[in-house]
Amino acid sequence: MLTSLYIKNYALIDELNVSFNNGLSIITGETGAGKSILLGGLSLVLGKRADLSQVKTADQKCVIEAVFDIANYDLKELFKTLDLDYDVQTIIRREILASGKSRAFINDTPVTLESLVSLSSYLIDIHSQQQTQQLTQDDYQFKVIDALADNKLNLQEFSKRLIDYKILQKNLEELKLSKTELIKEYDYNLFLSNELNEINLEKINLEDLETQYEELNNVEVIGEKLSSARSILNAESLGVSDQINTVKQELSKITSFGKAYESLRERITSIGIEIEDILTELDDLEDKLSSDPQELERVSNTLQIVNNLFQKHSVSEIEELKEIKNDLQLKINNTESLDETITLKEQEILKLNEKLNQFALKIHNKRKKVIPVFVSKLEAILSELGMPNAKFNVALEATEKFTKNGKDNLQFLFMANKGSSFNELKKSASGGELSRIMLAIKSILAEYIQLPSIMFDEIDTGVSGEISNKMGEIMKQMSGKMQVFTITHLPQIAAQGDSHFKVFKTDIDDITHTQLKKLNEEERIVEIAQMLGGLNITDSAMAHAKQLLN
């Protein structure tokens, strides 16, 4: 419930701070006194876009702050979703700066207007003539019937599954659309894959292959040079091996003369040993060396294939070719299993379709069961509101198409007079009739669900006499379960309130200001007497006002 409202520097309001109680609060005032200004300020708190022209004094910021007691509203999950700190006493503040920039806060945390609207829709409902038109919209009609049918949980489960169902359908459609293209690519991918498989990439070492090619391609030169090197090292007269031995023998004769000479002899000895090893390896390499034209051709062909593949796939490493081969195999496997994937997806959709139909049937049956109760209550209230011949019908038709509301078409049909026929509500009910129908529906809803605080903005327009008494009684009855505000010009309704506020204008220093005052008992009698007889209050008007209040 709304516990207080603070407005500063907005339209004709300098500063206003008012507290509210539960029950039925009446707001009255002469035409043009500023009741719409009060509603405008409250609308800003609820997320309406700000306008710099609404600021009273341009060089000062406009502040509107509302405090709500939300203990009974079960909003902890919503606060968690909006990433806000939950507090039973929740404060919503809007600021319009002199620059024109607007800011919004929930419990002192900056929020977007989207977050503000998400929360405020649970807190207060400003019911204007414009909102009455919601009654003719499908979504609102479903909302009414489902509230009475207690379909909230069923609709939540249905909605979750419907989202999954639509995603699966989209995936299936994409699979089928891509099937033709994938099949076209299949032959080419298979060709490329086979081409890569033929050379057995796992067994190819490019460096070894290139070395092998160089050896086979230069076997004669290699043999010649190996033989020449061996001859130089092992020649009988000038061979390096013999010369090393001669140096070693000469150094051995002087090793006893110092460590330096011993070290030189050891080093030349090591060189001699290394030369012998080299000679042995030269002999081995020369013995193994042989010309093999067929192997040379095989190695050359393999290198040519690898280089062609490098060029074709724009890569330079064997590992990159392996990755391409794996990717191609994956595409081939996906294409080969595409029909199976499509079949599995279709089976999954069928199962979900069956589950959705089960929920849709539950939702439909609960709606069907509650509609006669709703129609009976509505017609009874409308009769008391001066529409004794009004007849209501709710057409509920099961369809084959899934929508966010299940599988039903639902329509409110109305017949205002005897002898006429049922027609769509928006075509058959006048503005005044729609207002009374909306009031009746709100009063019925209040029996079934926790409604937010509601502010009726002159819902009694065009109503008088006994009907206005009944409207007041209905709002009074609703206020036993929720907080109700009503802006009214009718004394019969004003007298039903638990508290009474008056909106009025004053002129100070040639500047007009709008103010709001809570009336005491005596002031309330005077206000209702003026509503009955005008500014010149008569004794009979005062007596009548007292009678209404009693």
Side-chain angles (χ1 to χ4, degrees):
M1 60 171 279
L2 177 65
T3 59
S4 67
L5 179 65
Y6 174 80
I7 300 177
K8 181 179 180 181
N9 196 35
Y10 176 77
L12 297 180
I13 298 174
D14 279 331
E15 189 171 24
L16 182 152
N17 196 352
V18 59
S19 297
F20 301 104
N21 297 319
N22 212 335
L24 176 60
S25 295
I26 303 296
I27 300 174
T28 59
E30 296 179 6
T31 300
K35 296 185 292 295
S36 61
I37 295 174
L38 186 67
L39 286 178
L42 189 57
S43 295
L44 283 175
V45 169
L46 303 181
K48 180 182 175 182
R49 294 203 170 273
D51 184 351
L52 187 59
S53 65
Q54 297 167 327
V55 178
K56 188 175 190 296
T57 304
D59 60 349
Q60 299 178 22
K61 72 177 179 181
C62 165
V63 178
I64 298 157
E65 186 174 280
V67 182
F68 293 89
D69 183 341
I70 62 172
N72 298 325
Y73 284 35
D74 192 22
L75 295 177
K76 288 183 179 179
E77 281 301 316
L78 177 61
F79 272 72
K80 185 177 179 180
T81 301
L82 296 176
D83 195 23
L84 295 170
D85 294 331
Y86 177 82
D87 195 328
V88 169
Q89 294 296 318
T90 284
I91 302 171
I92 298 179
R93 186 171 77 255
R94 284 292 298 279
E95 295 179 356
I96 307 174
L97 307 182
S99 62
K101 183 179 179 181
S102 169
R103 300 187 298 186
F105 303 86
I106 297 176
N107 293 333
D108 287 329
T109 299
V111 295
T112 63
L113 285 187
E114 184 181 4
S115 296
L116 192 58
V117 171
S118 297
L119 174 61
S120 64
S121 61
Y122 291 93
L123 303 181
I124 191 163
D125 173 14
I126 297 180
H127 180 87
S128 60
Q129 290 295 322
Q130 182 180 3
Q131 197 218 33
T132 299
Q133 296 303 316
Q134 288 183 351
L135 186 55
T136 64
Q137 298 170 2
D138 290 346
D139 282 349
Y140 190 82
Q141 294 177 5
F142 272 112
K143 182 179 177 182
V144 170
I145 297 302
D146 286 325
L148 272 64
D150 192 24
N151 262 333
K152 181 179 179 180
L153 293 179
N154 282 329
L155 281 168
Q156 285 177 348
E157 289 298 323
F158 178 86
S159 179
K160 290 176 186 176
R161 285 169 171 78
L162 183 59
I163 291 171
D164 294 338
Y165 182 76
K166 288 181 177 179
I167 291 173
L168 283 173
Q169 282 188 317
K170 184 179 179 181
N171 291 342
L172 178 62
E173 185 179 348
E174 289 172 350
L175 278 174
K176 288 181 176 180
L177 286 173
S178 65
K179 181 178 179 179
T180 303
E181 196 63 33
L182 287 171
I183 290 173
K184 286 180 182 177
E185 294 176 0
Y186 175 77
D187 290 338
Y188 182 59
N189 289 337
L190 188 60
F191 169 76
L192 293 177
S193 178
N194 289 337
E195 195 175 46
L196 290 168
N197 285 327
E198 282 176 2
I199 63 167
N200 200 350
L201 292 171
E202 301 299 329
K203 292 186 177 181
I204 288 181
N205 184 307
L206 189 60
E207 186 178 350
D208 290 347
L209 202 62
E210 288 172 341
T211 299
Q212 189 179 4
Y213 173 78
E214 291 299 327
E215 287 180 350
L216 290 168
N217 197 42
N218 296 281
V219 65
E220 291 181 1
V221 174
I222 294 171
E224 180 184 336
K225 298 304 178 183
L226 287 174
S227 178
S228 175
R230 183 170 54 78
S231 296
I232 292 170
L233 289 174
N234 209 24
E236 291 183 1
S237 57
L238 300 172
V240 173
S241 181
D242 286 342
Q243 290 178 352
I244 292 295
N245 285 331
T246 300
V247 172
K248 183 174 69 171
Q249 289 171 4
E250 293 299 319
L251 290 174
S252 296
K253 297 173 182 178
I254 60 173
T255 55
S256 61
F257 300 145
K259 290 185 178 180
Y261 311 118
E262 173 65 21
S263 176
L264 282 171
R265 188 187 69 81
E266 289 176 355
R267 288 168 66 188
I268 202 68
T269 300
S270 295
I271 292 172
I273 294 170
E274 184 65 21
I275 291 296
E276 292 300 323
D277 286 343
I278 290 172
L279 280 168
T280 301
E281 192 166 346
L282 285 170
D283 287 337
D284 289 342
L285 288 172
E286 194 172 2
D287 290 341
K288 291 177 181 177
L289 193 63
S290 62
S291 177
D292 190 343
Q294 290 183 342
E295 181 65 11
L296 175 61
E297 184 179 3
R298 184 193 70 77
V299 172
S300 178
N301 287 339
T302 303
L303 281 172
Q304 185 62 47
I305 291 171
V306 170
N307 286 322
N308 288 342
L309 289 172
F310 281 165
Q311 187 175 5
K312 177 182 284 189
H313 295 286
S314 300
V315 296
S316 59
E317 300 289 342
I318 292 293
E319 288 303 317
E320 293 176 296
L321 285 179
K322 290 179 181 178
E323 290 179 9
I324 290 170
K325 188 187 80 168
N326 292 336
D327 289 341
L328 286 168
Q329 190 59 52
L330 183 61
K331 289 178 181 179
I332 291 166
N333 292 341
N334 287 341
T335 305
E336 290 175 343
S337 63
L338 187 60
D339 286 335
E340 182 182 355
T341 303
I342 289 175
T343 300
L344 290 173
K345 194 74 68 177
E346 288 173 337
Q347 291 173 351
E348 195 174 354
I349 287 173
L350 282 173
K351 289 180 181 178
L352 197 50
N353 182 284
E354 183 180 351
K355 200 68 179 176
L356 282 169
N357 277 317
Q358 291 174 359
F359 274 105
L361 182 60
K362 284 182 183 179
I363 292 167
H364 173 85
N365 289 338
K366 295 187 80 171
R367 287 169 177 164
K368 186 177 180 180
K369 184 178 180 180
V370 81
I371 283 173
V373 178
F374 169 67
V375 170
S376 176
K377 288 179 179 248
L378 184 58
E379 288 180 348
I381 295 172
L382 291 178
S383 178
E384 294 177 345
L385 290 175
M387 299 168 65
N389 297 320
K391 294 295 177 183
F392 217 83
N393 185 27
V394 179
L396 182 69
E397 179 186 5
T399 68
E400 294 302 316
K401 183 179 178 182
F402 292 126
T403 69
K404 63 182 179 180
N405 294 311
K407 290 184 69 175
D408 291 335
N409 281 335
L410 186 143
Q411 196 173 43
F412 282 9
L413 302 174
F414 180 66
M415 182 172 63
N417 303 299
K418 290 181 178 180
S420 57
S421 57
F422 282 109
N423 205 344
E424 292 179 55
L425 194 60
K426 60 184 176 183
K427 296 179 180 178
S428 55
S430 66
E433 288 170 336
L434 280 175
S435 292
R436 280 181 266 180
I437 292 169
M438 181 62 96
L439 176 61
I441 287 175
K442 294 279 187 182
S443 69
I444 294 170
L445 283 174
E447 299 176 24
Y448 290 84
I449 59 174
Q450 177 63 56
L451 292 174
S453 300
I454 188 168
M455 181 171 286
F456 291 110
D457 181 15
E458 299 184 358
I459 195 173
D460 52 22
T461 300
V463 174
S464 60
E466 183 56 33
I467 296 174
S468 61
N469 279 329
K470 187 58 187 177
M471 290 186 82
E473 289 174 9
I474 290 173
M475 286 186 271
K476 179 72 172 178
Q477 185 180 10
M478 289 175 65
S479 71
K481 298 174 181 176
M482 57 187 291
Q483 186 184 40
V484 179
F485 297 88
T486 182
I487 297 173
T488 182
H489 291 290
L490 297 180
Q492 293 91 339
I493 291 178
Q496 298 276 1
D498 297 301
S499 33
H500 192 148
F501 299 86
K502 181 176 181 178
V503 180
F504 60 97
K505 288 180 179 178
T506 57
D507 293 330
I508 303 173
D509 297 330
D510 293 327
I511 298 175
T512 302
H513 304 268
T514 289
Q515 299 183 36
L516 179 69
K517 179 183 180 182
K518 184 175 182 179
L519 303 181
N520 60 31
E521 192 65 28
E522 288 302 317
E523 291 168 333
R524 193 173 179 191
I525 293 171
V526 172
E527 175 67 9
I528 292 176
Q530 287 181 337
M531 295 173 73
L532 286 164
L535 292 177
N536 297 319
I537 302 174
T538 62
D539 290 341
S540 62
M542 289 290 287
H544 192 185
K546 290 177 182 179
Q547 183 181 7
L548 286 174
L549 285 168
N550 289 330

